[in-house]
């Protein structure tokens, strides 16, 4: 299966990644990626960028050396209500909002029931597009409940390639998510979570898993440029409505 977009990557702005925007775009082009999302960590992440970083993403061009640039964030869920570490007016102006749980960024692991409630609350936030690394065993959740709400809200769950070596025990959880997503007809996104330019577009482990779960191209958002652009456009309409209300 050929994936054309990498929707979860980090630059040196995240504090613990090692490549610039231009280097990440070069890595994307080298590895056949047509759409690159720059999704640096939200400010609650130790060493992460200041709020101003996200407001100023507008200065980035739409394309770099032929690679379409999507301007986004990997926001941190910081409480049981699923709240994120960026204000609404900033989130609503981004192309793509990923949301995830990180130890030390506000919401540390709790009970399975509490984690499930927090993740569902984040999914129900109309500004959230994709929940990243939901298979992290540190944050155990009721997968079927999470998928049910994700389907209703048209929010995607991610199969995270880097979880295999950065979050031990994730493989089994991710496989369960992929299998249940297939059964429930919930589309997923694959992300490299690249922190270095040569990792952009390297989905080998995640692809092996989703193929084992029986997922095809139609089940995966970033198998098609048009699917990605349509998804972002649909979500953009919701965000613009929120800005008008504010």
């Amino acid at each position: 299966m050929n994936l054309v977009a990498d929707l979860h990557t980090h630059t040196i702005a995240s504090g613990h990644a090692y490549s610039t925007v231009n280097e990440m775009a070069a890595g994307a082009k080298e590895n056949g990626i047509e759409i690159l999302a720059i999704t640096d960590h939200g400010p609650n992440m130790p060493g992460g960028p200041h709020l101003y970083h996200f407001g100023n993403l507008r200065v980035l061009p739409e394309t770099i050396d032929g690679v379409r640039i999507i301007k986004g964030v990997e926001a941190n869920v910081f409480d049981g209500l699923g709240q994120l570490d960026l204000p609404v007016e900033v989130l609503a102006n981004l192309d793509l909002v990923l949301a995830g749980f990180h130890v030390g960024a506000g919401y540390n692991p709790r009970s399975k029931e509490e984690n499930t409630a927090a993740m569902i609350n984040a999914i129900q936030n109309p500004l959230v597009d994709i929940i990243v690394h939901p298979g992290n065993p540190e944050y155990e959740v009721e997968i079927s409940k999470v998928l049910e709400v994700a389907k209703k809200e048209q929010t995607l769950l991610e199969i995270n390639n880097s979880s295999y070596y950065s979050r031990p025990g994730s493989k089994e959880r991710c496989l369960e998510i992929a299998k249940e997503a297939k059964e429930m007809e919930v589309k997923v996104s694959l992300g490299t979570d690249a922190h270095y330019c040569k990792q952009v577009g390297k989905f080998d482990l995640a692809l092996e898993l989703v193929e084992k779960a029986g997922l095809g191209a139609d089940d995966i958002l970033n198998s098609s440029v048009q699917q990605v652009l349509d998804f972002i456009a649909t979500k953009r309409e919701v965000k613009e409505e929120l800005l008008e209300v504010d």
Side-chain angles (χ1 to χ4, degrees), residues 11 20 22 30-31 35 72 76 78 89 109 122 127 180 188 215 244:
T11 73
T20 65
N22 283 348
E30 179 181 343
N31 293 328
I35 298 177
N76 298 289
F78 69 80
E89 60 270 20
L127 295 169
E180 291 203 31
V188 300
L215 275 67
E244 288 174 5

Side-chain angles (χ1 to χ4, degrees), residues 142-198:
E142 291 281 354
I143 292 171
S144 58
K145 289 183 179 180
V146 167
L147 281 167
E148 183 178 347
V149 178
K151 183 175 183 177
K152 180 181 177 182
E153 300 294 332
Q154 297 186 322
T155 300
L156 304 189
L157 300 188
E158 178 197 63
I159 303 299
N160 186 292
N161 197 77
S162 79
S163 286
Y164 287 78
Y165 48 85
S166 62
R167 301 176 187 91
S170 291
K171 184 175 181 179
E172 294 76 13
R173 299 289 293 169
C174 290
L175 182 59
E176 184 180 352
I177 289 170
K179 287 181 176 179
E180 291 203 31
K182 180 66 175 179
E183 291 175 5
M184 297 173 66
E185 298 181 337
V186 180
K187 196 181 291 290
V188 300
S189 175
L190 270 59
T192 63
D193 203 353
H195 285 63
Y196 174 60
C197 58
K198 297 295 184 179

Side-chain angles (χ1 to χ4, degrees), residues 12-52:
I12 53 174
S14 282
H16 57 280
Y18 305 97
S19 302
T20 65
V21 172
N22 283 348
E23 289 168 342
M24 297 297 278
K29 185 173 183 177
E30 179 181 343
N31 293 328
I33 294 300
E34 298 178 50
I35 298 177
L36 171 68
I38 301 297
T39 55
D40 284 304
H41 285 285
N44 272 22
M45 175 63 69
H50 188 274
L51 177 64
Y52 292 172

Side-chain angles (χ1 to χ4, degrees), residues 34-74:
E34 298 178 50
I35 298 177
L36 171 68
I38 301 297
T39 55
D40 284 304
H41 285 285
N44 272 22
M45 175 63 69
H50 188 274
L51 177 64
Y52 292 172
H53 168 85
F54 302 98
N56 202 41
L57 283 172
R58 63 183 179 273
V59 305
L60 294 181
E62 287 193 6
T63 62
I64 297 176
D65 201 15
V67 177
R68 177 73 175 266
I69 303 299
I70 301 300
K71 302 156 191 177
V73 63
E74 182 183 3

Side-chain angles (χ1 to χ4, degrees), residues 100-119:
F101 297 84
H102 300 90
V103 174
Y107 183 99
N108 290 331
R110 302 180 189 176
S111 69
K112 187 175 186 178
E113 293 74 19
E114 289 174 296
N115 295 338
T116 300
M119 188 172 288

